[in-house]
Amino acid sequence: MQLGLIGLGKMGGNMRERLRLGGHEVVGYDRNREVSDAASVQEMIDALEAPRTVWVMVPAGEITRGVIEDLSNRLEPGDLVIDGGNSRFSDDEINAELLKAKGIEYLDCGVSGGIWGLKNGYGLMVGGTKKNVARAMPIFDTLRPEGPRDEGFVHAGKVGAGHYVKMVHNGIEYGLMQAYAEGYELLEKKGIVTDVPGSFKAWSRGTVVRSWLLDLMVAALEANPDLDDVSDYAADSGEGRWTVEEGIANAVPMPVITASLFARFASRQEVSPAMQAVAALRGGFGGHAVLTTAEGQELRAESSREAAAKAVTAKGKKRSGKKS
């Protein structure tokens, strides 16, 4: 099957390779001329036989909307556009209506798999009509993992459903990562535990917390057991926020996902205004000392040094006990 693919970054480039390995003809376009197959979007379109299928794999938001608007002016009735980026589900209906006015079909596809998708395949969550899903199924079947289709692909529902399911998937991912991270910190703090990477690895088979995320955690700890020189600044792509917003809009309690999102916000604060307010209040009602920023940083550093020293001492005693 022929496919036009706009956006050849980390995921888009790997998807192009996986599709080609699966026997498909892919004509890719990217602003980076070094990776692009075509010199322009129009050249990519001209290289495809009608009715065409064009997959958009660019950053969500204004960039995706701009690309789809441009395609609406270039493609012909009967062509199909698939948005495989991390677009907000509410954008899909707008995109679909824009294209429908020109006789162009539309699918939204949530894609999970990251940089490992080339080898392992991608989890796909699609929204749109059954007719359009069937039309693009050869592409989906090549991109998804090997095995039963329903274990790596779902036609989730109407336009927007694919990105909605991917949004919730990413919200769950936030919660899972935060739980593993908190467990790591506690194991690191307790001096009687001398093999934190091994402890995580021991959960890899037979336990209820085994997962691919756990496998990635094990790999990271084996490469860098103390996570030396790893910044604690954690970004968010937006889908966690949208998940929480949808929880509020639909009166669904989501304390775990919400807390994990807020933990990412906290990671970006060198100084917490909220905790500054707490310190000021403690000084107001209880006469507790209100420290300057410098004094607080020194206490924080001292606390970290003491905790590290205790952990090293406890681990040293544990190792000595093993030798005796």
Side-chain angles (χ1 to χ4, degrees):
M1 181 175 173
Q2 277 192 326
L3 181 73
L5 179 58
I6 299 178
L8 301 171
K10 291 180 180 179
M11 285 189 70
N14 282 345
M15 289 168 67
R16 174 177 62 177
E17 186 172 349
R18 185 174 176 89
L19 287 167
R20 285 176 173 172
L21 290 171
H24 299 283
E25 179 186 346
V26 182
V27 182
Y29 170 74
D30 194 278
R31 289 182 298 178
N32 180 357
R33 294 294 182 86
E34 294 183 2
V35 300
S36 187
D37 302 316
S40 66
V41 171
Q42 189 60 52
E43 183 176 298
M44 178 203 72
I45 291 172
D46 291 342
L48 303 173
E49 297 178 5
R52 308 167 186 84
T53 299
V54 176
W55 188 299
V56 178
M57 203 70 187
V58 299
E62 289 297 329
I63 296 177
T64 293
R65 288 192 287 270
V67 168
I68 290 177
E69 183 176 1
D70 181 60
L71 287 173
S72 74
N73 295 319
R74 296 179 184 275
L75 294 176
E76 300 174 351
D79 290 345
L80 169 65
V81 173
I82 303 173
D83 177 10
N86 284 331
S87 295
R88 185 180 172 89
F89 71 95
S90 53
D91 285 348
D92 291 314
E93 187 174 349
I94 298 171
N95 292 335
E97 288 299 318
L98 173 67
L99 294 170
K100 184 179 180 180
K102 305 288 184 72
I104 303 167
E105 304 293 331
Y106 180 80
L107 291 173
D108 61 283
C109 183
V111 181
S112 179
I115 59 175
W116 301 91
L118 172 59
K119 177 182 178 181
N120 300 331
Y122 301 88
L124 305 174
M125 299 138 266
V126 180
T129 66
K130 290 182 179 180
K131 180 180 178 180
N132 286 334
V133 170
R135 172 177 170 179
M137 191 57 74
I139 297 296
F140 297 142
D141 276 341
T142 301
L143 288 174
R144 67 175 176 82
E146 295 181 4
R149 179 183 288 169
D150 61 2
E151 292 182 4
F153 171 89
V154 64
H155 178 195
K158 301 176 181 179
V159 165
H163 281 143
Y164 197 94
V165 173
K166 177 57 163 50
M167 175 194 74
V168 175
H169 164 281
N170 279 28
I172 293 170
E173 180 184 292
Y174 277 41
L176 291 173
M177 287 195 290
Q178 185 66 25
Y180 286 132
E182 291 174 7
Y184 166 77
E185 182 171 354
L186 183 57
L187 290 174
E188 275 289 314
K189 284 287 180 69
K190 194 64 175 177
I192 61 174
V193 180
T194 59
D195 188 357
V196 175
S199 299
F200 273 88
K201 192 169 187 176
W203 298 341
S204 298
R205 295 180 183 272
T207 76
V208 296
V209 298
R210 64 188 185 276
S211 71
W212 185 39
L213 282 175
L214 177 62
D215 294 341
L216 294 174
M217 184 74 173
V218 169
L221 292 177
E222 288 184 335
N224 188 357
D226 298 316
L227 300 182
D228 292 329
D229 201 31
V230 175
S231 172
D232 62 350
Y233 184 105
D236 70 284
S237 63
E239 288 175 300
R241 301 187 190 204
W242 303 338
T243 305
V244 172
E245 290 171 3
E246 280 297 293
I248 295 169
N250 292 279
V252 175
M254 307 181 76
V256 172
I257 294 174
T258 302
S260 68
L261 175 64
F262 288 169
R264 296 198 183 193
F265 293 168
S267 78
R268 304 168 202 171
Q269 295 181 312
E270 184 174 342
V271 176
S272 168
M275 296 314 295
Q276 286 177 310
V278 168
L281 288 170
R282 290 185 78 244
F285 70 74
H288 302 287
V290 179
L291 306 176
T292 66
T293 300
E295 290 170 336
Q297 289 175 339
E298 177 56 32
L299 277 178
R300 185 178 288 113
E302 182 180 332
S303 176
S304 296
R305 289 193 294 268
E306 289 177 355
K310 287 180 181 178
V312 170
T313 299
K315 289 180 180 181
K317 289 181 180 178
K318 179 69 174 177
R319 293 191 184 97
S320 298
K322 285 181 177 179
K323 292 178 181 179
S324 60

